[in-house]
Amino acid sequence: MPELPEVETTRRGIAPHIEGARIKRVVVRESRLRWPVPPRLRELLQGEHIVRVARRAKYLLLATPSGTLIIHLGMSGSLRLVDSALPPGKHDHLDLIFDHAALRFHDPRRFGAILWTEDPVENHPLLRELGPEPLSGSFDGERLCQRARNRTGPVKSLIMDGRVVVGVGNIYASESLFLAGIHPLRSCGRISGRRYQHLAGAIKEVLAAAVAAGGTTLRDFVREDGKPGYFAQRLRVYGREGKPCPVCGTPIKKRRISQRSTFYCGQCQR
DNA sequence: ACAGTAACCTGTTTGC
DNA sequence: TGCAAACAGGTTACTG
């Protein structure tokens, strides 16, 4: 589910409600997520207050004075702000209960994660090797070009590699390549520097537009208030197999590239 | 060192 | 209609 725009949408939704708020209680109903929820999380968080809600790649970082709660939404996770009296539903695995509301973590597939660290969060093993933020100045065509050297394999895999650039998942990879006019199967080494600049620009453009629309809801992504994101209506190729390319009308193709469905226009993308 | 892929889960859709 | 297989937005850990 959630790629960078969905995680950023969630961050923006919850931050104003929980920054500065004190955690009254922690309820863990299911600790078997991607990794076990830390057994001592209740004691660690009880009475702490949230200093800041940040995001790195697809990780949400809830900073407290004693450490940082790291939340990943996996494929099917979402966070909602609810009345703490609202009875939990199926797959509502964890609540952080504040005075005025509860932050509720919901994740049917349990690929998500909730972790705790007391070290500087950027040193955490999961965050340490990550590439630049796509919407920051440290990501550009030159970086893509550099990381494409000595690399074989399709360009789609390059832009989905978190060590190259973070936040680009399966939907936005297809969308960015369409916008840049590059075929997803094109080999990394067979793309000019100029085209890599276009691609970097396309990634920024697509992600920024998706953030502005509140993310993409395909089936189960919801924002903190339970509403969907509206970028699905603006997808040009993803999920549109057989439908006309919005630019040239040629039917959109679908292929599997390293086990992931990939959508593109065989006419516009070379 | 790198690239490809199996594995982690549940729910929904597709195909026979 | 029913059942099984395929597939779904992510990422690590393994294999070769």
Side-chain angles (χ1 to χ4, degrees):
Chain A
M1 161 228 291
E3 303 183 34
L4 183 144
E6 292 73 41
V7 179
E8 178 61 16
T9 295
T10 300
R11 189 194 71 75
R12 293 181 184 186
I14 66 175
H17 295 96
I18 67 171
E19 275 180 353
R22 178 180 158 277
I23 300 171
K24 207 162 63 177
R25 217 149 49 82
V26 178
V27 179
V28 180
R29 298 183 199 85
E30 174 57 84
S31 57
R32 296 170 306 164
L33 302 184
R34 173 83 200 251
W35 296 282
V37 175
R40 295 179 47 80
L41 196 68
R42 282 185 55 173
E43 298 101 278
L44 289 165
L45 285 179
Q46 200 110 246
E48 278 293 355
H49 64 273
I50 306 290
V51 177
R52 206 162 64 91
V53 181
R55 178 189 58 74
R56 172 74 173 109
K58 296 169 189 165
Y59 295 94
L60 283 167
L61 309 172
L62 275 55
T64 80
S66 59
T68 304
L69 190 68
I70 302 174
I71 301 177
H72 197 289
L73 300 178
M75 288 275 258
S76 59
S78 57
L79 284 170
R80 290 185 63 176
L81 279 165
V82 299
D83 189 317
S84 54
L86 183 73
K90 202 177 181 187
H91 308 306
D92 285 341
H93 304 314
L94 183 142
D95 284 355
L96 297 185
I97 300 170
F98 300 89
D99 281 325
H100 53 295
L103 185 66
R104 185 162 283 175
F105 177 78
H106 173 88
D107 184 11
R109 291 179 74 180
R110 289 194 274 123
F111 287 171
I114 295 184
L115 300 168
W116 173 255
T117 182
E118 291 173 4
D119 298 327
V121 73
E122 62 272 16
N123 294 344
H124 192 279
L126 291 173
L127 306 194
R128 208 168 33 204
E129 310 288 330
L130 293 176
E133 287 290 324
L135 295 175
S136 75
S138 51
F139 172 66
D140 57 17
E142 209 160 312
R143 157 125 194 141
L144 271 184
C145 213
Q146 237 158 33
R147 297 302 305 257
R149 283 197 242 285
N150 338 312
R151 204 180 157 121
T152 60
V155 62
K156 188 189 180 219
S157 306
L158 174 78
I159 63 173
M160 289 184 70
D161 185 338
R163 294 165 302 184
V164 175
V165 60
V166 301
V168 182
N170 202 39
I171 296 179
Y172 300 113
S174 281
E175 293 296 308
S176 303
L177 287 164
F178 175 77
L179 206 59
I182 299 173
H183 197 292
L185 279 175
R186 176 162 284 273
S187 170
C188 289
R190 307 199 148 272
I191 296 172
S192 67
R194 201 175 136 67
R195 297 189 83 202
Y196 272 123
Q197 285 197 336
H198 280 307
L199 180 54
I203 289 171
K204 288 172 190 278
E205 195 179 324
V206 167
L207 292 178
V211 169
T216 298
T217 296
L218 289 185
R219 39 167 61 90
D220 49 14
F221 171 70
V222 288
R223 302 154 50 142
E224 88 297 340
D225 54 6
K227 292 184 183 148
Y230 297 111
F231 197 70
Q233 301 148 235
R234 315 235 314 258
L235 295 174
R236 314 276 254 283
V237 290
Y238 187 88
R240 302 181 49 81
E241 182 186 18
K243 295 184 177 156
C245 164
V247 170
C248 74
T250 306
I252 297 297
K253 290 183 179 164
K254 174 182 178 179
R255 294 191 55 147
R256 277 187 101 63
I257 299 179
S258 48
Q259 354 262 76
R260 312 300 298 274
S261 291
T262 307
F263 300 85
Y264 63 99
C265 172
Q267 189 69 33
C268 297
Q269 295 174 253
R270 296 303 170 112

